[in-house]
Amino acid sequence: RIVTREIMGVRSGGGAKGDGGFSWDQLELDAHGNLKSSSRASAHKARRQRLLSMETSGRSIQRGMIRYLELVFDLSKAAGLNDMRPLRSVAMFAAAESFIRSFFDENPLSQLGVVIMRDGVARQLTELSSSPEAHIEKLRASLDTGGAASIGNALEMCTSVLKHIPPYGHREVLFIVASLSTCDPGDVFRQIEDAARNRLRVSAVGLAAEVHVFRSMCEKTGGTYGVALDQAHMDLLVAAH
């Protein structure tokens, strides 16, 4: 079978792009000898679809803004349930890993840190930095679950870190939570007010059901709150940030 260059819209030279943006570099052969899009091209297409989805959903994209984001990961006993295969914690990690890689791909000058909630306390797993592999490997090695989640402790820790970010930086917190409750030593709503006063934008992706304290936290800080219907939906909700 012969396909002419004119039909494919490819200019002279290997890997060159035609008027429609086609490139031979975007194709590879499958096991049956048929042409298919390469994994790199598929990833690029998925990224473009995600950006278009954010624009059509009304989310504002501030160009030139450096993002400083704390990713809060729930490792309470609720994350050890197996209604998502093989475990909730593993499914949540897969979504977090994809998010971290995309975050630095789209925001190369920004910084991210990871906070984990387990046994009623919050711990800074990784400091704010621009090293995606360091965050991913540290989180991968810390997926043991147990005890209760503490939204108040986690939010207080994030506020203490992010409130010192200069005005040119965008202060964000993203919770990925499996728990339907929070165990806090103080008033969690006071922590929410403190976060809002320090201009933190707090968003959350939850599992199983909506929780009032999460909804209130996101609304008062200008963030978004979504509850995943299944694992694929969770991946989309996390990726939207």
Side-chain angles (χ1 to χ4, degrees):
R1 183 185 301 174
I2 299 176
V3 181
T4 66
R5 288 179 177 271
E6 289 76 11
I7 293 177
M8 297 306 295
V10 179
R11 298 171 184 157
S12 61
K17 292 186 177 181
D19 295 335
F22 176 83
S23 171
W24 287 107
D25 294 336
Q26 297 175 5
L27 299 177
E28 59 184 20
L29 292 175
D30 62 15
H32 303 286
N34 299 316
L35 289 174
K36 66 174 185 177
S37 297
S38 66
S39 57
R40 183 176 59 183
S42 299
H44 180 69
K45 180 179 179 181
R47 176 189 170 194
R48 286 184 57 83
Q49 289 176 337
R50 184 168 66 252
L51 291 174
L52 287 172
S53 175
M54 289 189 296
E55 290 177 352
T56 56
S57 65
R59 177 185 172 192
S60 60
I61 299 177
Q62 300 185 26
R63 299 188 181 276
M65 179 70 76
I66 299 179
R67 301 174 66 186
Y68 292 85
L69 185 144
E70 288 280 8
L71 177 64
V72 182
F73 197 88
D74 181 10
L75 287 172
S76 65
K77 63 181 179 180
L81 300 179
N82 63 356
D83 55 346
M84 289 186 177
R85 298 296 180 183
L87 295 172
R88 281 184 178 183
S89 59
V90 177
M92 291 161 62
F93 170 75
E97 179 183 13
S98 178
F99 168 76
I100 292 172
R101 295 189 188 280
S102 296
F103 177 84
F104 287 110
D105 183 33
E106 298 168 9
N107 308 277
L109 299 180
S110 297
Q111 294 188 9
L112 179 146
V114 179
V115 173
I116 59 173
M117 300 184 296
R118 184 167 51 205
D119 295 326
V121 297
R123 180 165 69 91
Q124 186 83 51
L125 187 65
T126 61
E127 302 292 337
L128 287 173
S129 73
S130 300
S131 175
E133 295 304 326
H135 299 306
I136 291 169
E137 291 308 314
K138 192 74 173 179
L139 184 57
R140 191 197 307 274
S142 307
L143 293 180
D144 293 337
T145 60
S150 179
I151 303 301
N153 284 337
L155 196 55
E156 182 178 17
M157 178 173 290
C158 293
T159 302
S160 67
V161 173
L162 294 175
K163 68 181 181 180
H164 300 295
I165 297 300
Y168 61 77
H170 192 49
R171 307 167 184 179
E172 299 177 68
V173 181
L174 173 59
F175 282 80
I176 303 179
V177 288
S179 179
L180 297 179
S181 62
T182 177
C183 179
D184 303 302
D187 185 359
V188 64
F189 291 99
R190 183 179 63 81
Q191 302 298 340
I192 293 173
E193 294 293 342
D194 191 33
R197 187 165 50 252
N198 283 282
R199 298 184 293 107
L200 271 66
R201 182 178 186 270
V202 185
S203 299
V205 174
L207 308 182
E210 182 171 311
V211 180
H212 170 68
V213 66
F214 299 151
R215 171 65 67 185
S216 178
M217 175 180 67
C218 296
E219 288 181 349
K220 290 184 178 180
T221 60
T224 61
Y225 179 40
V227 178
L229 301 176
D230 51 34
Q231 187 168 342
H233 188 216
M234 177 182 65
D235 294 341
L236 289 175
L237 289 175
V238 174
H241 295 84

